[in-house]
Amino acid sequence: MADFQLAEEILKAGSIERDALKLALDITQEGVELLEIAERIEGFIRSRGAAPAFPVNISIDGVAAHYTPAPGDEKRIPPRSIVKVDVGVHVNGYIADAAVTVSFNPDYTGLVRAAWKGLEAAISTARDGVTLNTIGKNVYEAIKRLGYKPIENLMGHKIERYELHAGKSVPNVPALEYRFVKMRRGEVYAIEPFATDGAGYVVDQGYSNIYRVVSARRIKKEAELSKLLQELWRRFRGLPFASRWVLSEGIADDLSQLERLVKMGRVYHYPTLVEAKRGMVSQFEDTVVVVDDGCRPLAGTLSLVAP
Ligand code: MN
Ligand code: MN
């Protein structure tokens, strides 16, 4: 790792991310309110002088990704569930994105291990010059070896400053179109294998309470709406935010104007992603910096959980 200089901010984001995941592992328990888990983790990130890069995602059983509690959400962690907690931290736009699975069902120990092994395979393969197809192939094989399927339409992603999804994707299956696409030294990637006993792909179902500004251009003859849009852009740029934050940070008194921005296509409301056959889903994720002879995981997700 002596071969080039990492931005100090990204190392700080990684270290806060690691502590945030430890907190997630500690407080995610059967019967606890999702809202409490999300708010405690987000509060912790802010208390360390950083900001959430996106709302804490808490995805249960067959829900793979993209759910954060709504304002006043009363859902609790169900008994015997499989829970993915996905946390983003940014320091001055430098992002760490990582996730853990917490299982309250011993029947799914192998499923949880499969995603962990998938991430381990990817991290041990990632280096300057490796193709993204090779990473996908190794993730696929690690998950398949344990008798599960990777979710093929959920992928890792290149990260840039203030940009969570910056072009290149990291597949969890071999993919011909990635045969000539290489990881390069100095690039930052979130790597996130998902494993399932279901169909192996996700579909949209309902809404996530997670939003993102698509275009911050002024809206003609809508001064108030334009002002809200500008304020959302000023605070979050292109990063995802929660409807909870819009209320708790006093950006708006209710969500009606936000919903108008969604209808106008200026703000995107992410759908929740569920396994197509309602299979159970596990996920582990870390953000890595690619170096000449390997990669440097920022959160160290693998070392937080026994495989
Ligand atoms: Mn993530
Ligand atoms: Mn990610």
Side-chain angles (χ1 to χ4, degrees):
M1 231 351 268
D3 55 349
F4 73 100
Q5 203 63 42
L6 276 179
E8 194 182 308
E9 287 102 327
I10 203 166
L11 295 177
K12 186 178 172 194
S15 121
I16 297 168
E17 174 74 55
R18 181 174 178 82
D19 291 342
L21 290 183
K22 282 187 194 163
L23 176 63
L25 289 167
D26 186 39
I27 66 178
T28 303
Q29 300 290 346
E30 291 167 297
V32 177
E33 281 192 3
L34 274 55
L35 190 57
E36 179 188 337
I37 296 169
E39 286 184 341
R40 280 185 65 184
I41 298 169
E42 290 163 4
F44 168 78
I45 292 167
R46 294 189 177 105
S47 77
R48 291 280 300 267
F54 50 81
V56 170
N57 282 224
I58 305 173
S59 307
I60 295 167
D61 295 342
V63 178
H66 295 175
Y67 184 80
T68 202
D73 205 316
E74 289 182 346
K75 283 189 205 66
R76 292 173 183 272
I77 302 291
R80 295 177 65 78
S81 55
I82 306 291
V83 185
K84 284 75 64 186
V85 186
D86 195 328
V87 178
V89 173
H90 85 89
V91 176
N92 210 5
Y94 292 89
I95 299 167
D97 173 9
V100 289
T101 297
V102 184
S103 169
F104 302 104
N105 188 335
D107 295 348
Y108 292 101
T109 306
L111 177 69
V112 175
R113 183 179 295 133
W116 191 99
K117 288 284 187 186
L119 179 59
E120 182 193 44
I123 285 177
S124 61
T125 312
R127 55 169 293 152
D128 180 60
V130 76
T131 71
L132 292 163
N133 178 56
T134 301
I135 306 257
K137 182 169 159 284
N138 290 353
V139 170
Y140 169 78
E141 281 169 3
I143 291 175
K144 207 181 131 208
R145 206 170 291 135
L146 288 168
Y148 295 95
K149 292 176 187 165
I151 292 187
E152 60 184 67
N153 60 343
L154 287 177
M155 280 172 249
H157 43 98
K158 189 165 181 281
I159 293 178
E160 284 175 14
R161 196 172 173 213
Y162 282 112
E163 228 182 314
L164 195 53
H165 289 255
K168 289 193 226 177
S169 297
V170 186
N172 293 315
V173 293
L176 293 182
E177 67 266 36
Y178 293 100
R179 261 183 312 172
F180 304 106
V181 189
K182 291 174 177 173
M183 283 189 166
R184 287 301 183 194
R185 167 182 190 268
E187 290 180 336
V188 178
Y189 288 91
I191 302 179
E192 49 184 317
F194 291 78
T196 185
D197 58 357
Y201 64 96
V202 290
V203 294
D204 297 352
Q205 192 190 70
Y207 284 106
S208 62
N209 310 306
I210 303 167
Y211 301 77
R212 173 172 60 82
V213 174
V214 176
S215 162
R217 251 183 326 112
R218 253 195 96 253
I219 304 161
K220 278 179 205 146
K221 297 179 189 162
E222 291 279 5
E224 212 177 310
L225 215 50
S226 288
K227 209 175 137 218
L228 172 60
L229 185 59
Q230 292 300 324
E231 184 58 16
L232 292 169
W233 177 256
R234 190 183 70 79
R235 288 184 190 236
F236 308 117
R237 306 255 202 136
L239 294 175
F241 59 90
S243 44
R244 289 181 282 112
W245 301 351
V246 172
L247 302 182
S248 66
E249 297 184 20
I251 301 168
D253 297 331
D254 60 60
L255 299 175
S256 58
Q257 298 293 75
L258 180 65
E259 287 308 329
R260 283 191 66 204
L261 290 172
V262 172
K263 287 206 180 74
M264 297 169 96
R266 295 310 194 87
V267 168
Y268 179 64
H269 191 175
Y270 290 83
T272 293
L273 301 173
V274 304
E275 217 289 324
K277 282 191 180 159
R278 302 301 181 272
M280 288 291 219
V281 178
S282 61
Q283 172 205 19
F284 284 95
E285 179 176 22
D286 205 341
T287 297
V288 306
V289 182
V290 180
V291 295
D292 286 339
D293 59 355
C295 72
R296 174 165 181 166
L298 292 174
T301 307
L302 291 174
S303 67
L304 291 175
V305 189

